[in-house]
């Protein structure tokens, strides 16, 4: 489940300090306002219908999951629906080029097309724009076939359960799938995983067996690929909408290890809208976009020898909080978690509120969780009340104690700075992923299932697929950053 | 132009393995322009259909004396209510059926002269002979079919029990279903409520007791006015349920109780149409129970799609969902609206069964059932039925259903209670 917390965990005075009207003002930070709907986001043509047939194949009789190779259900023995043909690539090839000229968007996963697209229109994010050129040459290694005027690789799939395995011209997924990697899409778009009917109504209900197989809203599956940083946000298999959001950018940053001194810093922000408060999905989108833009600005203005990124994180959450929409005074304000990572040449700085996490996965298989959940159960562990191994499954595991919301002042994130000592990857994710891979070792093992040189997008897709295959009970958002020196 | 909107009340949560989903669908037809995205206008460019009205008067021997005098007066009042252009006819019922107006088959077009001619014909009606309601209905059907495009409605007035066998009446009803709607009125204490209720249910009408013959004229006028106000005919409720699912029942629960389950016509393997007759600006409420194959925990299914259709064109759609959860708090809640109408139907059943037991000489069971009815009526704030109940039983404690049978009950009060047992009250907002 998504973070169900704030209402219950709120302090009694929560309702009293409802944000003033100014807090409801649209985000004024650079790049947050929509000045164009389509920049940067390359919405894949959405075939009618949906959706989740591709990765989850369910037994008609008992609803157990099955793989594409199974003919009969492993759980009850019933004959499984036939596996459909693989879908067309979800992103049209020519438009999909590695992180190139246009400023990369912070993609808000959840809202409709307009809202999802608005954050992408980041004409104001000039520093980032400049950075991208450099990033493309420096970090766009996987498939540098970019043409100068091509759009960045952002595919916004609405039919794309196929996406995790679909091909894009930017990223080679030709490498053989390791064991456990889901097979090619197990159904045509719009087909029902339970009865294989190909007819699904506009709201996502199968016209034969009635199963809700998912709608085809924009934001159901979003991918952003900037080369060394890439993110995937997916609605999952149960929720009707994606209330997660993410923002990711590359910013020019001197890298002492690179000749000529140019390099990039990577910014990743993930927000998980609180499911118990209406409007939290769009609020999470605003928060992620605002925080990302603020961090980009901060880095552009920062001194390299003393960037003060923790201060930037606090500014980012403060501005994000004020940019978030409010509802009626007295009602609980839309809320979300916050997890951010800023990776420079020398350090990883993380900040968080709630139960979204940042992990460090070493190239050697070592791994660390860089954040410490703000949840009731995590607090209980820290207080010695319950054992650490119970933290992720205890009753309060998803009741967050701190979060980002306009009526909670200040929403100060906790911050940690970790020097980079070995190559590897940073994973920023919502609980939609870690519910199914909560231990660091488990998560590292999933990453290790891919080739060591797998690009960031491939890792993000793979981890998303892991969560989908395990049930996808919540929205899933994963941003992966390759760290300097990887490989 | 009528615009239909529908609304669903349900608790979509079922426990693991749960199969039965109950939902209440409230359908409102309003005059006006369709709101954007809400529902489409009904009959497109077609001209509004003409109304066809047939008045069926029981002229059996028992109607002699004051009753036939008042029946003639009521029929004349009904004829006077007919607007110019409305098609109409009058059927005289005995052990056979006789068309007394217009002469020579078919229906007349209402005008000053045809109304006057009909009044004269009605004035000559005399009581004599037996009661053969099936025959009367079949003649009415024939008249209606002479103008197939009209909205067909009949009033049936009787004072006695049908002299035909069950099968004969049943066969006639089967032929008349879907051809015309019929409101039934009983006068005096010799007719059988259950029998007329059955006829009314099958022909999508209602049933009521006319206590005093003098009340007939006003009642007839009201019935005709209501019938003429209905602008869209042959509205059906189309229920789609997923493969493997069954419609356990579909019943109208407001403004009165009528079980539609058995009336379904199959549209395709997953879809059935339940006829609801003609509609004016009004609100009707339906209770649907669907039995679906259980889905996975946290999975969600469309348990039914409910549409109103006219000529196959959907006017309003409502979705009934089913979502499986292991959260007992969610799955054990009963939706308030569903609970209300379930109680209203239980109330109707308790009254009818209680009166049945009273007739069959089991006063203890009758008191228990009527006590339950008093409790349910009190809970629902259903003053009309509570007042009718009070004429049959003395209510000691409505909250617990403690009642005593009255010893000196007017049989008309019992019949009135029986006839009105199915008139429900709407759920509180």
């Amino acid at each position: 489940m998504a973070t169900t917390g704030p209402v219950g965990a709120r302090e009694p005075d929560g309702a009293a300090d409802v944000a003033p009207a100014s807090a409801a003002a649209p985000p004024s930070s650079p790049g947050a306002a929509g000045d164009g709907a389509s920049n940067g986001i390359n919405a894949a043509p959405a075939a009618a219908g949906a959706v989740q047939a591709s990765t989850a194949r369910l037994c008609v009789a008992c609803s157990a999951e099955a793989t594409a190779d199974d003919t009969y259900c492993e759980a009850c023995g019933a004959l499984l629906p036939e596996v459909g043909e693989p879908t067309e690539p979800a992103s049209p090839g020519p438009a999909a080029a590695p992180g190139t000229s246009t400023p990369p968007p912070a993609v808000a996963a959840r809202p409709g097309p307009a809202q999802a697209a608005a954050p992408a229109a980041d004409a104001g994010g000039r520093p980032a724009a400049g950075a991208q050129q450099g990033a493309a040459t420096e970090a766009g290694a996987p498939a540098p076939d970019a043409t100068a005027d091509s759009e960045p690789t952002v595919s916004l799939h609405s039919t794309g359960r196929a996406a995790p395995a679909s091909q894009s011209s930017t990223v080679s997924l030709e490498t053989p799938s390791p064991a456990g990697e889901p097979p090619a899409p197990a159904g045509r778009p719009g087909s029902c995983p339970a009865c294989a009917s190909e007819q699904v109504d506009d709201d996502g209900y199968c016209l034969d067996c009635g199963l809700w197989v998912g709608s085809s809203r924009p934001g159901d599956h979003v991918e952003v690929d900037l080369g060394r940083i890439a993110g995937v946000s997916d609605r999952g298999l149960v929720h009707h909408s994606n209330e997660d959001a993410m923002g990711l950018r590359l910013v020019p940053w001197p890298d002492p290890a690179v000749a000529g001194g140019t390099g990039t810093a990577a910014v990743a922000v993930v927000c998980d809208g609180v499911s118990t408060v209406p409007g939290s999905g769009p609020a999470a989108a605003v928060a992620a976009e605002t925080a990302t833009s603020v961090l980009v600005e901060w880095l552009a203005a920062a001194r390299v020898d003393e960037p003060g990124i923790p201060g930037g994180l606090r500014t980012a959450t403060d501005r994000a909080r004020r940019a978030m929409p409010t509802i009626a005074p007295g009602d609980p304000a839309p809320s979300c978690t916050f997890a951010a990572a800023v990776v420079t040449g020398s350090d990883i700085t993380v900040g968080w509120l709630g139960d979204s996490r940042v992990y460090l996965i070493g190239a050697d298989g070592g791994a660390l969780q860089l954040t410490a959940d703000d949840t009731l159960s995590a607090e209980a562990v820290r207080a010695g009340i319950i054992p650490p191994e119970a933290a992720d499954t205890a009753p309060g595991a998803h009741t967050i104690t701190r979060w980002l919301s306009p009526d909670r002042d200040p929403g100060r994130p906790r911050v940690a700075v970790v020097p980079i000592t070995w190559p590897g990857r940073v994973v920023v994710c919502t609980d939609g992923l870690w519910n199914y891979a909560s231990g660091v070792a488990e998560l590292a093992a999933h990453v290790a299932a891919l080739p060591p040189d797998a690009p960031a997008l491939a890792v993000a897709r793979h981890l998303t697929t892991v969560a989908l295959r395990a049930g996808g009970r919540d929205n899933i958002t994963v941003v992966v950053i390759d760290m300097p020196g990887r490989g | 132009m009528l615009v239909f909107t529908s609304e669903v009340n349900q608790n979509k949560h079922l426990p693991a393995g749960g199969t039965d989903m109950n939902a209440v669908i409230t359908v409102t037809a309003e005059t006006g322009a369709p709101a954007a995205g809400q529902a489409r206008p009904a009959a497109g460019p077609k001209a509004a259909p003409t109304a066809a009205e047939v008045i069926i008067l029981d002229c059996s021997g028992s109607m002699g004396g004051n009753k036939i005098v008042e029946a003639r007066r009521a029929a004349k009042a009904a004829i006077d209510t007919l607007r110019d252009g409305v098609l109409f006819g009058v059927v005289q019922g005995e052990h056979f059926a006789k068309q007394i107006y217009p002469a020579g088959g078919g229906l007349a077009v209402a005008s000053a002269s045809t109304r006057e001619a009909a009044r004269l014909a009605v004035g000559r009606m005399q009581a004599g002979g037996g009661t053969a309601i099936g025959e009367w209905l079949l003649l009415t059907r024939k008249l209606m079919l002479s103008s197939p495009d009209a909205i067909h409605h009949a009033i049936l007035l009787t004072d006695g029990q049908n002299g035909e066998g069950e099968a004969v009446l049943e066969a006639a009803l089967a032929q008349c279903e879907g051809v015309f709607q019929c409101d039934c009125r009983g006068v005096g204490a010799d007719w059988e409520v259950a029998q007329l209720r059955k006829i009314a249910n099958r022909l999508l009408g209602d049933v009521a007791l006319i206590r005093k013959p003098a009340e007939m004229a006003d009642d007839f006028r009201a019935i005709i006015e209501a019938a003429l106000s209905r602008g869209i005919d042959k509205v059906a409720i189309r229920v789609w349920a997923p493969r493997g699912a069954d419609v356990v029942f579909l019943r109208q629960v407001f403004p009165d109780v009528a079980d539609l389950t058995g009336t379904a016509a199959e549209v395709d393997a997953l879809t059935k149409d339940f006829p609801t007759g003609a509609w004016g600006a009004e609100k009707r409420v339906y209770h649907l129970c669907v039995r679906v194959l259980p889905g996975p925990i946290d999975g969600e299914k469309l348990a039914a799609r409910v549409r109103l259709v006219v000529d196959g064109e959907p006017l309003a759609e409502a979705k009934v969902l089913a979502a499986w959860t292991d959260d007992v708090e969610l799955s054990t809640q009963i939706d308030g609206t569903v609970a209300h109408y379930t109680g209203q139907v239980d109330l109707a059943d308790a009254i009818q069964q209680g009166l049945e037991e009273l007739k069959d000489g089991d006063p203890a069971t009758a008191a228990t059932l009527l006590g339950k009815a008093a409790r349910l009526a009190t809970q629902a704030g259903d003053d009309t039925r509570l007042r009718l109940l009070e004429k049959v039983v003395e209510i000691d404690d409505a909250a617990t259903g403690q009642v005593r049978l009255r010893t000196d009950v007017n049989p008309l009060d019992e019949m009135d209670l029986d006839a009105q047992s199915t008139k429900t009250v709407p759920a509180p907002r």
Side-chain angles (χ1 to χ4, degrees):
Chain A
M1 307 289 267
T3 46
T4 54
V7 173
R10 253 159 216 269
E11 286 153 15
D13 62 348
D17 53 14
V18 166
S22 63
S28 56
S29 53
D35 52 0
S38 60
N39 311 19
I41 290 201
N42 166 22
V51 158
Q52 68 208 50
S54 318
T55 51
R57 194 161 165 244
L58 300 180
C59 169
V60 187
C62 71
S63 305
E65 282 191 51
T67 71
D69 297 326
D70 294 341
T71 305
Y72 294 97
C73 175
E74 291 298 312
C76 74
L79 182 65
L80 291 165
E82 264 180 59
V83 177
E85 275 139 30
T87 50
E88 292 293 308
S91 336
T100 46
S101 54
T102 319
V107 170
R110 153 63 209 270
Q115 276 174 281
D122 189 12
R126 196 178 32 76
Q132 292 322 299
Q133 298 285 11
T137 44
E138 191 264 348
D145 59 348
T147 51
D149 58 349
S150 62
E151 293 175 34
T153 308
V154 178
S155 49
L156 185 67
H157 304 272
S158 49
T159 56
R161 290 298 159 207
S166 72
Q167 304 296 301
S168 141
S169 66
T170 50
V171 179
S172 167
L173 288 180
E174 301 298 330
T175 42
S177 288
E181 180 74 11
R188 285 162 286 268
S191 71
C192 172
C195 71
S197 161
E198 293 191 30
Q199 288 184 297
V200 173
D201 76 6
D202 291 345
D203 290 338
Y205 294 97
C206 172
L207 288 178
D208 197 60
C209 74
L211 188 71
W212 186 77
V213 300
S215 60
S216 53
R217 291 190 194 91
D220 283 351
H221 184 92
V222 181
E223 297 189 354
V224 180
D225 182 15
L226 306 180
R228 64 173 284 229
I229 174 168
V232 174
S233 186
D234 194 286
R235 193 194 62 219
L237 302 181
V238 173
H239 286 273
H240 282 217
S241 60
N242 189 353
E243 302 206 320
D244 281 0
M246 61 181 177
L248 46 154
R249 303 283 170 87
L250 287 171
V251 184
W253 194 260
D255 182 350
V258 173
T262 58
T264 54
V267 174
V269 174
V270 155
C271 291
D272 177 353
V274 167
S275 59
T276 48
V277 184
S280 290
V286 169
E289 166 52 26
T290 307
T292 307
S293 297
V294 170
L295 286 169
V296 167
E297 265 182 86
W298 184 277
L299 288 170
R303 284 169 51 193
V304 171
D305 56 340
E306 204 177 315
I309 295 168
L313 283 165
R314 290 189 191 105
T315 305
T317 52
D318 202 44
R319 294 258 298 273
R321 184 179 64 72
R322 282 187 279 123
M324 288 167 77
T326 52
I327 302 188
D331 283 347
S335 308
C336 64
T337 68
F338 173 83
V342 178
V343 180
T344 62
S346 54
D347 298 299
I348 306 163
T349 310
V350 299
W352 72 96
L353 286 159
D355 67 351
S356 295
R357 292 180 177 178
V358 182
Y359 293 93
L360 175 57
I361 314 283
D364 59 356
L368 272 177
Q369 183 180 333
L370 303 181
T371 53
D373 294 347
D374 298 315
T375 61
L376 286 182
S377 71
E379 311 270 4
V381 170
R382 290 192 279 271
I385 297 168
I386 59 171
E389 57 272 20
D392 291 347
T393 50
H398 292 278
T399 306
I400 54 175
T401 52
R402 302 165 79 239
W403 61 88
L404 206 52
S405 127
D407 70 351
R408 191 168 172 88
D409 184 24
R412 279 283 167 96
R414 289 202 274 165
V415 173
V417 183
V418 183
I420 296 173
T421 52
W422 22 262
R425 297 182 177 95
V426 172
V427 174
V428 187
C429 66
T430 58
D431 59 344
L433 170 64
W434 68 249
N435 278 335
Y436 301 111
S438 71
V440 280
E442 209 180 326
L443 190 71
H446 286 305
V447 174
L450 293 176
D453 61 348
L457 179 62
V459 177
R461 283 177 172 173
H462 174 66
L463 293 176
T464 304
T465 307
V466 164
L468 287 170
R469 284 183 58 84
R473 284 177 69 151
D474 198 356
N475 304 145
I476 304 146
T477 299
V478 185
V479 180
V480 174
I481 305 166
D482 281 345
M483 287 196 299
R486 172 178 68 79
Chain B
M1 183 171 290
L2 281 180
V3 179
F4 288 83
T5 50
S6 63
E7 183 193 328
V8 175
N9 291 94
Q10 64 164 157
N11 171 20
K12 70 174 183 179
H13 299 288
L14 287 173
T19 57
D20 287 13
M21 178 47 66
N22 285 280
V24 164
I25 297 112
T26 302
V27 182
T28 310
E30 284 169 306
T31 314
Q38 285 253 309
R40 287 197 282 165
K46 270 192 290 181
T50 323
E53 188 68 46
V54 173
I55 300 157
I56 310 167
L57 292 180
D58 182 347
C59 291
S60 61
S62 58
M63 284 290 288
N66 193 35
K67 274 195 257 178
I68 190 72
V69 173
E70 292 296 341
R72 287 198 294 250
R73 209 164 70 86
K76 288 175 187 169
I79 288 162
D80 287 342
T81 313
L82 298 169
R83 295 188 295 261
D84 283 0
V86 171
L87 303 168
F88 76 106
V90 183
V91 168
Q92 174 173 335
E94 296 179 29
H95 51 283
F96 59 92
K98 180 177 166 194
Q99 179 179 4
I100 65 154
Y101 189 83
L107 295 169
V109 180
S111 68
S113 62
T114 55
R115 280 192 293 268
E116 186 51 37
R119 289 169 59 95
L120 285 172
V122 165
R124 289 193 291 268
M125 289 166 74
Q126 296 294 331
T131 306
I133 297 178
E135 289 291 319
W136 311 350
L137 295 174
L138 287 174
L139 176 59
T140 304
R141 173 177 180 275
K142 197 173 139 199
L143 298 183
M144 296 293 192
L145 288 178
S146 69
S147 302
D149 292 333
I151 298 182
H152 303 107
H153 178 263
I155 303 177
L156 167 65
L157 174 77
T158 183
D159 77 328
Q161 296 179 25
N162 192 25
E164 299 168 310
E166 266 313 294
V168 175
L169 179 60
E170 177 59 38
L173 285 173
Q175 288 197 59
C176 295
E177 253 179 327
V179 177
F180 64 95
Q181 287 180 250
C182 186
D183 288 319
C184 300
R185 292 295 180 267
V187 63
D190 297 325
W191 57 287
E192 202 184 310
V193 178
Q195 191 171 67
L196 272 202
R197 178 156 50 224
K198 179 181 164 189
I199 296 167
N201 271 355
R202 291 286 293 275
L203 301 181
L204 305 174
D206 72 350
V207 62
L209 164 74
I210 297 178
R211 296 181 76 106
K212 296 182 192 133
E215 291 169 357
M216 249 185 260
D218 285 342
D219 188 56
F220 271 38
R221 214 175 282 124
I223 293 173
I224 301 270
E225 273 165 8
L228 294 184
S229 74
R230 295 179 190 141
I232 298 181
D233 197 16
K234 301 213 176 353
V235 178
I237 292 189
R238 177 165 293 178
V239 177
W240 172 95
R243 195 169 296 284
D246 288 315
V247 174
V248 179
F249 61 77
L250 175 70
R251 55 167 85 111
Q252 180 178 298
V253 290
F254 180 83
D256 51 16
V257 179
D259 193 352
L260 306 180
T261 316
T263 66
E266 190 168 293
V267 177
D268 62 41
L270 306 180
T271 312
K272 291 186 170 90
D273 273 359
F274 299 82
T276 66
W279 283 64
E282 60 185 303
K283 177 175 104 170
R284 300 189 201 174
V285 183
Y286 299 89
H287 182 170
L288 174 69
C289 179
V290 190
R291 185 163 296 150
V292 294
L293 296 173
I297 288 286
D298 289 332
E300 184 174 300
K301 261 189 196 180
L302 185 59
R305 183 186 288 109
V306 182
R307 291 192 180 108
L308 260 78
V309 291
V310 172
D311 296 333
E313 188 186 349
L315 306 180
E317 178 176 304
K319 283 179 170 172
V320 177
L321 306 178
W324 286 266
T325 177
D326 45 19
D327 184 338
V328 178
E329 219 167 286
L330 287 177
S331 61
T332 53
Q333 276 172 24
I334 297 175
D335 176 80
T337 307
V338 173
H340 170 82
Y341 287 113
T342 304
Q344 289 285 292
V345 173
D346 286 350
L347 171 51
D349 288 346
I351 291 172
Q352 289 171 26
Q353 288 165 18
L355 292 173
E356 196 67 30
E357 294 296 343
L358 210 52
K359 256 184 241 166
D360 292 352
D362 184 349
T365 310
T368 306
L369 287 163
L370 294 173
K372 177 185 174 187
R375 176 171 58 78
L376 289 167
T378 305
Q379 276 170 6
D382 188 341
D383 292 336
T384 308
R385 284 190 283 186
L386 202 56
R387 233 178 298 121
L388 292 166
L389 271 164
E390 275 171 338
K391 291 181 180 167
V392 178
V393 294
E394 253 179 284
I395 301 172
D396 292 332
D397 184 359
T400 59
Q402 283 293 318
V403 301
R404 279 172 294 144
L405 298 175
R406 290 183 189 274
T407 47
D408 52 345
V409 179
N410 179 343
L412 285 178
D413 285 330
E414 274 180 32
M415 292 175 73
D416 208 3
L417 174 62
D418 195 354
Q420 297 213 45
S421 63
T422 56
K423 299 272 188 292
T424 56
V425 295
R429 279 275 126 188

